Amino acid sequence: MNSLVILLISIVVLVCGYLFYGKWLAKEWGVDPSRETPAHTLADGLDYCPAKAPVLLGHHFASIAGAGPINGPIQAAVFGWVPVLLWILVGGVFFGATHDFAALFSSIRHEGKSIGHVIEVNIGRRGKKLFLVFAYLTLLLVVAAFGSIVVGTFASGAAGSDAYNIANGRTASISLLFIVLAVAFGFFVYRRNAPLGVSTVIGVAALVLCIVLGYNFPIHMGANFWNVFVLAYILIASVTPVWILLQPRDYLNSFLLYGMIALAFIGILVAHPSMALPAATGFSGINGNSQLFPVLFITVACGAISGFHSLVGSGTTAKQLDNEKDAMAIGYGGMLIECGLAVISLICVGVLFGNSDALASVGSSMALAESGMPSGSPTAVFATGVAFMLTKVGMPYDVMYSVLILAVSAFCLTSLDTATRLARYMLQEFFVDEGEDVKNLTGFKKLISNPFVSTLITVILGGMLMLGGYDKIWPLFGAANQLLAALALLACAAWLGNVGKNNKMFYIPMVFMLLATLTSLAITFKTKLGRLMNPPEVPTVPADVLQVLFSAVLFVLAFILVVEGWKTLTSKKPAESKK
């Protein structure tokens, strides 16, 4: 099928989902524009800080996306483009966007606190403790996975060395300049009250200048340097007031990301190549060694439904929401934008499948596997596919490839320090019970609730996992992330049921995601335990042990939480809850 037809159909479905289903949800849940949000009632200039809707959408979208909507569809393409596309569209409209909107809305009705707090109020204290442990472990995996990806896109050696990679050097240089630009933008907008419109025009122009300078003056440093730099960066970025770096960087970053999507759309519109990837390849996938259920629904997370989004929505976004009327646009709409990016990623792998002539025509070094699938990383496949289509518009392949790699890296860096800040919230909330004030804590609780201490602990643990490499972390993150989504749906359903609102739209997504993720964890546990009993090679043992232990812990935590939540959902006397 023609790629342009697929893209246009997808856009129509996503827009209709927003206009009809999204607005219906807002009405059912009682979104109230006249009600003050926590960003105003609890404003502290550090975490609680009102942001204008476009600025907050930029932060939210950049934070939830990461590399997920690129990695997932490209990896799942082994099942053919039809199953992946259907899951992106159906999952995005009825599962993911509903999940994101509900997580954000439930948080602003609970003082901008996390889903863990929503569980404590509506399910119970034990449920909160279990969820926070679960969420914290998941966020450590996010820090490790995305930290590893960022280092991989920054690290390069000196000219002439085997490690020399000019694209990585350019990405690193542009990213550092961009951080400086974001701090300056935040200072002028939030401390000098510069008009947002004028500041945006100047900021975007300066962003283009950063790209030009970074492209011509790359920074070449090795992985060891960037490992230390990334950990130091997230340590600092995660404890600074949101107006200094997080809000302005993510807002400006969103223009880079929107630009990337626009470039991809132009490429598809002009080139409109046909999908060489088969429509469907069977339950076992193109290589015959996968299982469509549950693998497809675990692999395509961001772009369909992702538990990490609930932590962003109820972590940083809820603390900055200026008005409840913006919750649908940011929560529901932000997810649908990500669905669009996931469709573009699917088109990229579909166009390159078995197309060695296309790769040769632009001088790409990417090879094709025996199955016909591009053998590079998902990021490289995405950048190659879009850059190839843009050559039909006359744009230079090398320049477009570098800019696209930069955009993906910007996604990851944004998600990285947001995840670190969220992990800090989780750790702090674990030791603060309902009704307690963090300012009145003493002893160990006071120490661990200190923002600098909780962030340092997170950075150290995440950094230790990061050294293991992206490929060892991502399989663990996939199942944890999707199970987190099911638990977030459970929490929102319990809250809405307790306050007398319609919560039936959560039942099917919640049950389906529980079945998919628990099945995946059971398969992982059985497979990895079998490898430990009869290991094919010694180097796989540490990774297998980690996955066996992690899958077992996640399964048990999830089971207990589901039992607790089910009691609440079926109780005739619901717990007292905040409206």
Side-chain angles (χ1 to χ4, degrees):
M1 180 178 270
N2 189 283
S3 57
L4 180 58
V5 174
I6 292 174
L7 182 59
L8 293 178
I9 290 174
S10 300
I11 291 173
V12 171
V13 171
L14 297 175
V15 170
C16 288
Y18 180 83
L19 293 177
F20 297 105
Y21 196 64
K23 287 188 176 181
W24 177 77
L25 292 175
K27 182 179 179 181
E28 289 293 301
W29 298 342
V31 172
D32 183 2
S34 66
R35 183 169 180 153
E36 275 197 304
T37 64
H40 293 282
T41 59
L42 300 172
D44 60 6
L46 176 63
D47 297 317
Y48 290 85
C49 182
K52 295 180 179 178
V55 176
L56 189 55
L57 176 60
H59 154 70
H60 183 79
F61 175 57
S63 296
I64 64 173
I70 292 171
N71 285 10
I74 290 175
Q75 291 175 328
V78 294
F79 298 110
W81 64 265
V82 169
V84 179
L85 182 66
L86 289 175
W87 173 230
I88 290 171
L89 297 181
V90 176
V93 171
F94 297 105
F95 287 52
T98 302
H99 162 275
D100 291 16
F101 185 14
L104 172 58
F105 186 56
S106 66
S107 178
I108 62 177
R109 290 297 180 91
H110 289 79
E111 300 178 342
K113 294 182 180 179
S114 75
I115 291 294
H117 178 77
V118 176
I119 288 177
E120 179 179 25
V121 174
N122 296 279
I123 296 178
R125 182 181 176 188
R126 183 170 69 167
K128 170 204 172 180
K129 298 289 187 183
L130 291 172
F131 179 84
L132 290 178
V133 170
F134 189 100
Y136 188 75
L137 292 174
T138 303
L139 286 168
L140 287 179
L141 294 175
V142 175
V143 171
F146 283 76
S148 179
I149 292 173
V150 170
V151 170
T153 59
F154 280 11
S156 64
S161 70
D162 293 337
Y164 181 70
N165 186 321
I166 192 169
N168 283 16
R170 288 166 174 166
T171 299
S173 181
I174 296 169
S175 297
L176 294 185
L177 290 170
F178 186 40
I179 291 172
V180 176
L181 169 62
V183 173
F185 184 90
F187 174 78
F188 284 106
V189 171
Y190 289 99
R191 286 298 177 267
R192 290 295 180 265
N193 296 317
L196 181 61
V198 175
S199 300
T200 299
V201 173
I202 297 174
V204 172
L207 175 58
V208 174
L209 180 61
C210 288
I211 294 174
V212 173
L213 291 174
Y215 188 86
N216 289 284
F217 299 98
I219 296 175
H220 294 293
M221 301 295 291
N224 291 336
F225 171 82
W226 290 118
N227 276 321
V228 175
F229 174 86
V230 167
L231 293 177
Y233 167 77
I234 61 175
L235 176 63
I236 297 170
S238 302
V239 295
T240 56
V242 292
W243 65 266
I244 291 179
L245 181 60
L246 185 141
Q247 281 186 359
R249 186 213 51 208
D250 293 356
Y251 175 60
L252 291 175
N253 194 22
S254 67
F255 287 95
L256 177 63
L257 306 180
Y258 298 148
M260 178 184 75
I261 295 174
L263 284 173
F265 181 81
I266 292 171
I268 296 172
L269 179 65
V270 175
H272 55 268
S274 296
M275 297 284 280
L277 181 70
T281 60
F283 190 84
S284 299
I286 202 167
N287 296 315
N289 56 5
S290 297
Q291 296 171 303
L292 191 144
F293 182 89
V295 174
L296 170 63
F297 308 100
I298 302 300
T299 304
V300 183
C302 296
I305 180 172
S306 168
F308 175 60
H309 296 189
S310 69
L311 302 184
V312 175
S314 68
T316 56
T317 306
K319 293 176 175 63
Q320 303 171 64
L321 191 75
D322 184 53
N323 192 297
E324 279 196 7
K325 66 180 176 61
D326 300 326
M328 189 185 88
I330 293 169
Y332 198 90
M335 178 62 201
L336 296 187
I337 296 174
E338 187 176 271
C339 292
L341 178 58
V343 173
I344 291 172
S345 301
L346 177 62
I347 289 173
C348 286
V349 68
V351 167
L352 295 180
F353 179 84
N355 199 344
S356 57
D357 292 339
L359 296 173
S361 68
V362 293
S364 172
S365 60
M366 181 176 292
L368 296 177
E370 185 176 345
S371 64
M373 295 291 292
S375 60
S377 69
T379 301
V381 171
F382 175 82
T384 301
V386 175
F388 162 71
M389 288 184 284
L390 287 172
T391 59
K392 307 302 181 182
V393 193
M395 295 186 180
Y397 174 81
D398 289 342
V399 174
M400 289 296 98
Y401 182 87
S402 295
V403 169
L404 291 162
I405 290 291
L406 163 67
V408 176
S409 177
F411 267 122
C412 295
L413 193 60
T414 296
S415 296
L416 179 60
D417 63 62
T418 298
T420 308
R421 186 180 289 262
L422 292 172
R424 186 244 293 179
Y425 296 158
M426 300 295 116
L427 198 55
Q428 289 175 306
E429 281 191 31
F430 185 85
F431 294 99
V432 181
D433 295 324
E434 177 67 12
E436 283 188 320
D437 188 339
V438 67
K439 296 178 182 178
N440 298 327
L441 297 178
T442 59
F444 177 74
K445 278 189 173 184
K446 182 176 182 179
L447 175 66
I448 204 73
S449 298
N450 181 282
F452 297 97
V453 174
S454 54
T455 302
L456 181 61
I457 293 172
T458 300
V459 170
I460 291 173
L461 294 176
M464 292 171 63
L465 287 172
M466 190 174 84
L467 298 177
Y470 159 82
D471 57 330
K472 301 295 190 302
I473 299 300
W474 197 258
L476 296 173
F477 168 69
N481 181 55
Q482 296 301 73
L483 192 47
L484 191 62
L487 298 178
L489 290 168
L490 173 63
C492 294
W495 165 61
L496 286 169
N498 281 353
V499 297
K501 301 289 186 180
N502 183 4
N503 65 357
K504 292 182 175 58
M505 69 286 294
F506 294 109
Y507 288 1
I508 292 177
M510 177 176 64
V511 172
F512 182 83
M513 295 312 300
L514 281 172
L515 289 175
T517 51
L518 293 178
T519 301
S520 176
L521 287 172
I523 291 173
T524 298
F525 182 85
K526 178 182 177 182
T527 303
K528 299 305 178 183
L529 188 62
R531 286 166 63 92
L532 287 174
M533 300 298 291
N534 185 24
E537 51 186 74
V538 175
T540 67
V541 173
D544 289 341
V545 170
L546 182 61
Q547 293 195 44
V548 165
L549 292 176
F550 204 87
S551 58
V553 169
L554 291 180
F555 194 101
V556 172
L557 286 175
F559 182 79
I560 296 173
L561 274 168
V562 169
V563 171
E564 294 286 324
W566 181 252
K567 291 178 182 177
T568 300
L569 288 175
T570 57
S571 174
K572 294 182 179 180
K573 295 181 179 180
E576 181 181 353
S577 175
K578 296 180 180 180
K579 298 182 182 180

